Amino acid sequence: MEELLEELVEECRHYTAQGRLADYIPELTKGNISDLGIYVTRSDGKHYQTGDYKKKFSIQSIVKPILLLLALMDNGVDYVRSRVGVEATGKPFDAINVTDQTLLSEHLNPMVNMGAIAMCTLLKGADYQERFLRLLELTRTLAGNPEITLDESVYLSEKRTGNKNRALAFLLKTYGMIDDDVEDVLDCYFRACSIQVNCKDLANIGYVLANRGKMPQTEERLFPSRYANYVNAILMTCGMYDGSGEFAVKVGVPAKSGVGGGIMAVVPTRMGIGIFSPGLDEKGNSLAGIKVLELLSRRMYLSIF
Ligand code: GLN
């Protein structure tokens, strides 16, 4: 397995140059475009890694499944379902998904920005600081890494320049889908996206979803298996945004990308995979990361279809 990963990273390294760093968050342009790393956490307790797997990067949209999990743990399926829909948008992650004069919860998907901003309001906590800290704590627990923290400079960069997300949040407010102060909600969202992780963290988090709520080794249950079914299904249909269909055909497992260059893949019952390569394709997904996953899926028959 170690050899296979090394071979694939070697084979895909040249794709890194074809990607582009996300520049709409200025701090992300400091990334190294040629980085490529992978970490695999398997159900037999073994783990394998290669390339730049130790590099840290901001989790960005890969926090969305964790946000959804916490919203489910705090409120249950029915309430979350009534506030944020499940249909794939088939649109870019920051699309303004509003039709005519209406915006309904049905139009929101938890894996794109508008739905994720709305989900911040579903988390329990006295204020948005506490809500964020609970999200950070869950991220640490899922990753088995108590040292995960916020990347302060990415957070500040995103807060300073995140006007598209502000527009999305104000639309939610206009249509009565956010009651609280927009800046408070956004602050929680920007912090959430700026949590700093590495490939191992993503592989471990993906593994808990693959293992339907149970931690590796201890088999301690963190959440009911139906929440894993719920999250994994939405990852499958919208985790790679408007690239989800092609990803389903070529890789065939639930996954989530982030503009920091990370991808978390969930191979039900078998493994969690964390990948990092900050060069993005035109849809905002890690370009070389997807190539590695395509080859790995083919070689190890990972597709669930
Ligand atoms: N923080 C990013 C944003 O809101 C997350 C987007 C992403 O990773 N696709 O634009």
Side-chain angles (χ1 to χ4, degrees):
M1 179 88 187
E2 190 96 51
E3 271 170 35
L4 172 62
L5 294 184
E6 277 166 18
E7 195 186 310
L8 298 185
V9 164
E10 224 26 67
E11 203 176 323
C12 293
R13 182 79 72 174
H14 73 279
Y15 286 116
T16 58
Q18 292 178 20
R20 288 197 48 195
L21 297 171
D23 54 7
Y24 77 102
I25 301 172
E27 195 63 22
L28 296 185
T29 58
K30 295 184 180 162
N32 180 3
I33 192 93
S34 59
D35 281 348
L36 177 59
I38 182 167
Y39 195 104
V40 174
T41 301
R42 273 192 351 191
S43 56
D44 57 7
K46 297 208 171 88
H47 48 84
Y48 302 91
Q49 58 282 314
T50 195
D52 303 296
Y53 69 93
K54 285 187 185 154
K55 291 269 173 90
K56 291 181 178 173
F57 50 92
S58 55
I59 193 167
Q60 297 298 337
S61 281
I62 309 168
V63 79
K64 286 169 178 152
I66 309 171
L67 251 174
L68 175 58
L69 262 180
L70 189 55
L72 289 167
M73 290 160 84
D74 281 352
N75 305 280
V77 167
D78 291 346
Y79 185 68
V80 171
R81 183 68 189 75
S82 73
R83 298 288 302 270
V84 185
V86 296
E87 296 307 329
T89 61
K91 297 206 174 108
F93 61 82
D94 58 350
I96 299 174
N97 198 21
V98 56
T99 50
D100 298 329
Q101 292 302 304
T102 53
L103 178 68
L104 304 172
S105 56
E106 283 302 304
H107 301 140
L108 304 181
N109 182 292
M111 294 308 138
V112 296
N113 294 13
M114 215 173 193
I117 293 167
M119 276 196 305
C120 290
T121 70
L122 306 185
L123 307 185
K124 298 228 185 310
D127 52 27
Y128 278 89
Q129 169 74 359
E130 189 182 325
R131 291 174 200 227
F132 168 70
L133 290 176
R134 290 186 62 243
L135 181 73
L136 179 62
E137 207 42 56
L138 178 61
T139 307
R140 288 173 173 160
T141 306
L142 290 165
N145 179 2
E147 279 164 19
I148 292 178
T149 52
L150 184 77
D151 184 329
E152 196 75 26
S153 42
V154 171
Y155 158 64
L156 292 174
S157 183
E158 196 159 346
K159 193 173 166 77
R160 200 170 46 241
T161 57
N163 290 324
K164 183 87 183 272
N165 285 320
R166 277 190 183 89
L168 296 174
F170 276 109
L171 265 176
L172 289 166
K173 182 93 173 171
T174 303
Y175 289 101
M177 301 170 93
I178 287 185
D179 291 331
D180 297 329
D181 181 74
V182 163
E183 254 338 296
D184 288 348
V185 180
L186 282 169
D187 191 69
C188 178
Y189 174 75
F190 292 142
R191 281 178 197 270
C193 293
S194 307
I195 292 173
Q196 196 179 55
V197 290
N198 58 29
C199 291
K200 180 178 181 179
D201 297 327
L202 295 186
N204 286 348
I205 297 167
Y207 179 77
V208 182
L209 282 165
N211 200 27
R212 305 217 164 88
K214 289 201 226 157
M215 293 290 281
Q217 265 101 44
T218 63
E219 290 288 300
E220 180 202 348
R221 181 166 286 290
L222 286 186
F223 51 86
S225 61
R226 66 182 185 286
Y227 293 174
N229 295 147
Y230 194 98
V231 174
N232 292 343
I234 300 176
L235 288 181
M236 192 73 247
T237 50
C238 203
M240 307 297 281
Y241 319 114
D242 47 339
S244 298
E246 190 165 356
F247 189 84
V249 168
K250 290 190 170 153
V251 184
V253 297
K256 186 76 207 77
S257 61
V259 291
I263 302 179
M264 175 190 78
V266 178
V267 188
T269 72
R270 289 175 66 186
M271 63 184 84
I273 305 171
I275 296 208
F276 171 58
S277 182
L280 308 178
D281 64 16
E282 72 287 353
K283 292 178 175 168
N285 298 324
S286 171
L287 195 147
I290 291 185
K291 294 284 180 197
V292 171
L293 277 172
E294 271 178 42
L295 297 181
L296 187 65
S297 176
R298 222 178 293 157
R299 295 282 285 273
M300 296 196 66
Y301 303 96
L302 299 184
S303 174
I304 62 172
F305 298 106

